[in-house]
Amino acid sequence: MGLLSLGTPLPWKEVQKYADHVREHGIEQFLHIWKNTKDERGNSLLWGDEVEYMVVSYDHENKSALLSLRQAEILTALEENEKRQRKIEDELGVGSGQRIPTFHPEYGRYMLEATPGQPYTASLEDLLNVERNMNRRREIAKEHMLPHEIPVTLTSFPRLGAPGQFTDPYYAPIGNASRSFFLPDELINPHARFPTLTANIRERRGSKVAMNVPIFKDKNTPSPFIDPTVPYDRNLYPEDANARQGAALPDHIYMDSMGFGMGCCCLQITFQATDIDEARRLYDQLAPLGPIFLALTAASPAWRGYLSDQDCRWNVIAGSVDDRTEEERGGRPLKNQRFVIPKSRYDSIDYYISQSRECRPEYNDLDLVMDDKLKKKLTDAGVDDKLANHYAHLFIRDPIVVFSELVDQDDTTSSDHFENIQSTNWQTMRFKPPPPGTNIGWRVEFRSMEIQITDFENAAFAIFIVLLTRAILSFKLNFYIPISKVDRNMQVAHRRDAVINEKFYFRKDIFAPLYHSHDVQSNGSETASEDASVSLYSSDANASTDSIVNKTVKPVEEEYDMFTIDEIINGRKPKPTSNGPLSDVEDEMNEFPGLVRLVQDYLDSMSVDVETRCTLNAYMDLISKRASGELYTAARWIREFIRGHPKYQFDSVVGSEVNYDLVRTVEQLTLGNEWNGAGESLLGGMSGARYRSS
Ligand code: ADP
Ligand code: MG
Ligand code: MG
Ligand code: MG
Ligand code: MG
Ligand code: MG
């Protein structure tokens, strides 16, 4: 959607002059879309995933696994293949009944992204096509690579930016776009957009980006750890001084370039809602799940040749595109800039947008920075306060890349300026308006998950999230907690083995009670109330509508509690209270059912054929066991693989041969091979590739 429009990208100095122009016309474009589609109802569920791959090039002789920079050649071959397939189907006049996967470029010149080709439908049987399609994508990708190249779905490549060679071919870590100590610019997709993004983020910020991930202190890791691989004395670019001036922290793995973040792979899911209101509800309801599924899918324990003491990519990407100036980051008083901005443009969402009654104002407890002029433009045009706030907040950002040919647009037909800002707000959730001139509806994207090693796992997580949206809608589930608590969960999710060791804020009573706002007393305290929450989900749902409506409101702090991820996913028994044993009724009410049971109950309410149900049960089993710790996350599995390798010196260093053996083992798992039981702790005996044709 204009993302890869061809043209001449302006340098940062020029882009600045157009910032207001892009923002104002972007909002204008949004208003056209909104006016045309806000009343559309009855779109069906369509959904699709995005899987990102790294292309690995083996050098078997030197026991080395490198990142192949042949993205362009591979994509060209894949595009021709896709055209050929579509032509054959057209000529035969019948579809093969299978979707023809589509491949896209990504930031890294070693990366590919693939989507199913056509979205999946609401039919439960269609869920069987997801893993099949993912297997097929991997096969097709491999068919268009060289014999020594393979697609792998690792979230972070352990030796990206490590000393020596990590790309094929080799390039010295020098380049004017990123000015990195560690990554050559040749690693960046050469399309003008990407080097320009990289350079303009650095220029806007006024320094290189700086990510510091805590190092995993192993038996032989020096303490304090002062990284010998940081070239503190280099004087090639002015920004080389950043590291000496404190950007590189002791006891941390320092990274200084966009590629460390945008060069990671992830798993994203997009759903179409029936209408704008449902999309807004799903956006909100899925937001608190972002950190939970980040921890559950954790898959990135190694960075720049070192083991880290965190398991997830998120804060690395957030830092890697953090274009805020020092003033905006609060480092010095505001003088040249308009706002102090608490977060990077890549981060967890700041604001709930649903107009449903469950969305209590207290949940939006972050100070929202907004562009007041744009907010007025939105509300003057009739947009409600919440949606206006959402966009007035996203549109505090500057455009980073502007193509000179695309400055003037027809706002009634184009969404280019809108997408310029919208799609460079990379957040845990994205609210996607219909692209003009299409019959696509309002959509919501779930963006926090890390990519999994096998397609079996990726299908499991993609499908679980989709089924969860169905359960949310059917049972009117309510996952709201204050958004500041979601932020805190996001930080905790990064910790090593967070999935089994940490507790997360989560809502206790998830069966959306429909409160009347007049039940809240002016002092905010609860009115006298006989019953606890009432379920819309249980069998008495119809009977008790009145009591639900007249229910009183608990203080927000009583609505949530600390949960382990095991409890969130697999449920928890009621806590005994000081008043002695619970009655059966209280017992029922205090029990938290767990997300797996909610999805199972949803499936029970549908007619599902045996084959579909068995497959879905296997996916839910995986997620359930990841949550309980019976199966490892990819992060834990990778960490243990590295620490168990005979060449590992217990000094946190992930050497080239260790990396090579890791990638070869990962390849075997993606092919569904047992490889002496290597994947047992990850997959528990399930094949990672059940539908491969070869
Ligand atoms: P982006 O990179 O902007 O997030 P992509 O086009 O790469 O978007 O991927 C979007 C996903 O949404 C794909 O899996 C695609 O199959 C799916 N999709 C396409 N059309 C629809 C639709 N109308 N509703 C929901 N999902 C859709
Ligand atoms: Mg995409
Ligand atoms: Mg994208
Ligand atoms: Mg992508
Ligand atoms: Mg996406
Ligand atoms: Mg979009």
Side-chain angles (χ1 to χ4, degrees):
M1 242 122 290
L3 193 73
L4 293 180
S5 312
L6 290 168
T8 319
L10 298 171
W12 175 241
K13 264 206 191 111
E14 295 296 309
V15 172
Q16 276 175 299
K17 295 181 197 160
Y18 292 106
D20 282 329
H21 174 89
V22 170
R23 278 191 289 260
E24 272 163 33
H25 287 273
I27 291 296
E28 198 60 45
Q29 292 173 359
F30 168 75
L31 286 171
H32 277 282
I33 295 173
W34 177 77
K35 280 178 189 153
N36 287 332
T37 56
K38 69 183 166 60
D39 299 322
E40 270 179 18
R41 300 277 177 257
N43 277 318
S44 55
L45 167 71
L46 290 174
W47 72 280
D49 65 90
E50 296 163 75
V51 170
E52 292 173 341
Y53 308 82
M54 297 182 179
V55 183
V56 162
S57 167
Y58 283 126
D59 174 356
H60 291 297
E61 214 169 299
N62 292 305
K63 293 199 172 183
S64 171
L66 306 169
L67 293 169
S68 164
L69 301 184
R70 292 197 329 105
Q71 178 192 61
E73 294 88 332
I74 294 167
L75 275 175
T76 304
L78 284 166
E79 261 161 47
E80 276 160 19
N81 175 66
E82 189 189 326
K83 270 190 223 144
R84 226 169 19 243
Q85 293 300 318
R86 292 200 192 277
K87 192 155 166 259
I88 291 169
E89 295 207 349
D90 285 353
E91 277 170 11
L92 291 175
V94 283
S96 63
Q98 281 190 22
R99 294 171 177 84
I100 302 170
T102 316
F103 292 84
H104 321 267
E106 260 299 334
Y107 180 87
R109 207 171 144 200
Y110 53 85
M111 292 170 80
L112 304 173
E113 179 188 290
T115 53
Q118 269 165 16
Y120 300 107
T121 65
S123 117
L124 285 172
E125 288 72 32
D126 212 6
L127 296 178
L128 291 185
N129 292 320
V130 177
E131 188 180 344
R132 244 182 223 132
N133 186 288
M134 287 179 178
N135 277 182
R136 186 77 198 111
R137 281 181 236 171
R138 211 181 275 268
E139 282 180 332
I140 297 172
K142 169 67 191 144
E143 282 161 17
H144 296 83
M145 293 177 187
L146 297 174
H148 63 278
E149 288 173 334
I150 54 158
V152 296
T153 40
L154 285 169
T155 297
S156 70
F157 189 72
R159 286 190 57 82
L160 177 75
Q165 184 174 4
F166 54 87
T167 57
D168 177 17
Y170 172 80
Y171 290 99
I174 294 172
N176 197 43
S178 73
R179 304 189 175 177
S180 171
F181 284 156
F182 314 105
L183 302 183
D185 280 357
E186 286 84 354
L187 184 114
I188 306 168
N189 180 334
H191 181 286
R193 173 183 158 79
F194 298 97
T196 309
L197 255 178
T198 312
N200 289 0
I201 284 174
R202 174 175 51 67
E203 287 191 36
R204 187 184 190 288
R205 178 181 165 94
S207 62
K208 285 193 287 189
V209 293
M211 295 79 82
N212 284 282
V213 169
I215 189 138
F216 174 73
K217 287 273 178 81
D218 216 329
K219 283 184 290 199
N220 301 327
T221 311
S223 205
F225 169 76
I226 307 293
D227 189 351
T229 68
V230 177
Y232 286 98
D233 299 330
R234 193 176 86 169
N235 275 309
L236 209 52
Y237 305 108
E239 290 85 352
D240 285 356
N242 296 164
R244 295 193 286 274
Q245 290 159 352
L249 303 179
D251 284 329
H252 286 76
I253 309 162
Y254 166 63
M255 290 172 273
D256 66 346
S257 181
M258 184 166 167
F260 285 108
M262 285 299 191
C264 291
C265 295
C266 70
L267 174 65
Q268 295 171 341
I269 319 293
T270 296
F271 331 87
Q272 178 168 282
T274 55
D275 55 43
I276 185 172
D277 294 330
E278 187 186 283
R280 291 170 70 167
R281 253 184 81 202
L282 284 176
Y283 176 93
D284 283 7
Q285 292 304 329
L286 290 176
L289 299 174
I292 309 305
F293 280 83
L294 177 64
L296 258 173
T297 57
S300 40
W303 301 91
R304 209 163 61 61
Y306 293 111
L307 273 177
S308 63
D309 205 28
Q310 72 174 44
D311 278 356
C312 302
R313 80 195 187 290
W314 191 271
N315 59 12
V316 177
I317 316 194
S320 81
V321 290
D322 188 355
D323 68 341
R324 291 171 303 159
T325 63
E326 205 182 341
E327 287 179 25
E328 287 171 331
R329 299 197 304 274
R332 59 166 87 155
L334 277 184
K335 202 174 110 209
N336 301 310
Q337 248 78 43
R338 300 192 293 164
F339 314 109
V340 173
I341 307 176
K343 289 181 189 171
S344 164
R345 52 201 298 160
Y346 198 119
D347 219 312
S348 179
I349 66 158
D350 293 314
Y351 191 68
Y352 292 119
I353 57 174
S354 174
Q355 289 178 295
S356 65
R357 270 189 296 185
E358 303 92 80
C359 184
R360 296 172 65 175
E362 296 95 314
Y363 301 143
N364 274 322
D365 62 345
L366 298 179
D367 275 332
L368 203 64
V369 186
M370 281 184 285
D371 184 316
D372 294 332
K373 208 168 112 207
L374 296 178
K375 164 134 192 217
K376 185 162 183 309
K377 194 178 168 90
L378 286 157
T379 48
D380 284 352
V383 176
D384 63 273
D385 227 47
K386 270 190 181 154
L387 199 58
N389 287 347
H390 172 74
Y391 284 111
H393 175 56
L394 295 188
F395 276 66
I396 59 173
R397 310 285 174 171
D398 281 347
I400 317 174
V401 180
V402 173
F403 290 96
S404 59
E405 294 84 348
L406 297 174
V407 168
D408 294 313
Q409 294 170 24
D410 179 352
D411 292 336
T412 63
T413 56
S414 171
S415 63
D416 244 61
H417 289 321
F418 170 72
E419 285 295 338
N420 190 329
I421 306 289
Q422 151 104 343
S423 65
T424 53
N425 271 276
W426 297 277
Q427 299 184 320
T428 39
M429 298 297 307
R430 188 175 282 163
F431 183 61
K432 294 175 163 178
T438 68
N439 58 3
I440 298 173
W442 292 86
R443 291 149 305 146
V444 165
E445 186 180 19
F446 187 70
R447 299 167 50 87
S448 68
M449 292 194 286
E450 308 227 318
I451 199 76
Q452 304 296 291
I453 290 172
T454 69
D455 295 326
F456 167 64
E457 300 161 270
N458 286 314
F461 279 103
I463 287 171
F464 191 74
I465 295 293
V466 173
L467 290 175
L468 207 49
T469 64
R470 298 310 97 186
I472 288 168
L473 296 174
S474 293
F475 305 141
K476 301 190 168 59
L477 300 179
N478 177 352
F479 294 140
Y480 279 118
I481 54 173
I483 209 153
S484 63
K485 296 286 184 276
V486 180
D487 273 4
R488 177 270 177 199
N489 284 350
M490 213 50 203
Q491 293 313 310
V492 171
H494 285 78
R495 295 185 190 154
R496 179 159 49 86
D497 292 328
V499 67
I500 48 174
N501 292 335
E502 301 294 341
K503 288 199 164 190
F504 294 81
Y505 289 103
F506 209 78
R507 191 180 175 91
K508 286 187 281 193
D509 175 13
I510 57 177
F511 299 111
L514 302 175
Y515 295 117
H516 262 338
S517 51
H518 67 245
D519 291 336
V520 195
Q521 289 182 348
S522 53
N523 64 6
S525 71
E526 61 188 307
T527 53
S529 159
E530 57 302 10
D531 59 320
S533 55
V534 179
S535 171
L536 282 183
Y537 166 76
S538 62
S539 52
D540 61 20
N542 301 329
S544 52
T545 313
D546 285 350
S547 66
I548 294 166
V549 168
N550 292 322
K551 252 186 56 49
T552 53
V553 178
K554 282 184 199 163
V556 163
E557 299 69 41
E558 287 178 21
E559 291 180 341
Y560 55 81
D561 197 359
M562 301 297 280
F563 285 72
T564 64
I565 288 189
D566 187 28
E567 290 168 339
I568 295 171
I569 298 294
N570 296 317
R572 84 170 175 196
K573 290 273 159 236
K575 278 189 204 156
T577 65
S578 49
N579 304 334
L582 298 165
S583 70
D584 282 356
V585 177
E586 284 171 316
D587 205 76
E588 182 88 338
M589 302 220 185
N590 275 305
E591 185 178 316
F592 184 83
L595 303 185
V596 165
R597 204 188 100 197
L598 293 169
V599 168
Q600 293 286 17
D601 286 351
Y602 169 73
L603 291 172
D604 287 345
S605 74
M606 309 287 290
S607 67
V608 190
D609 66 81
V610 176
E611 189 197 355
T612 308
R613 190 68 190 246
C614 283
T615 302
L616 298 180
N617 283 343
Y619 296 147
M620 275 182 276
D621 208 39
L622 177 84
I623 288 163
S624 174
K625 287 175 176 167
R626 287 277 165 87
S628 71
E630 184 177 336
L631 291 178
Y632 291 2
T633 60
R636 182 166 177 202
W637 183 85
I638 292 170
R639 188 185 300 282
E640 294 211 353
F641 183 96
I642 291 170
R643 296 189 75 235
H645 193 283
K647 288 278 165 78
Y648 178 70
Q649 304 287 307
F650 294 93
D651 56 356
S652 318
V653 175
V654 185
S656 178
E657 194 177 329
V658 177
N659 184 60
Y660 170 75
D661 284 331
L662 172 70
V663 172
R664 284 208 314 155
T665 306
V666 161
E667 180 191 7
Q668 292 302 323
L669 298 183
T670 66
L671 296 175
N673 296 335
E674 294 243 346
W675 206 242
N676 298 322
E680 190 57 36
S681 56
L682 186 74
L683 302 169
M686 287 301 298
S687 167
R690 297 183 296 171
Y691 303 100
R692 288 182 67 93
S693 54
S694 44

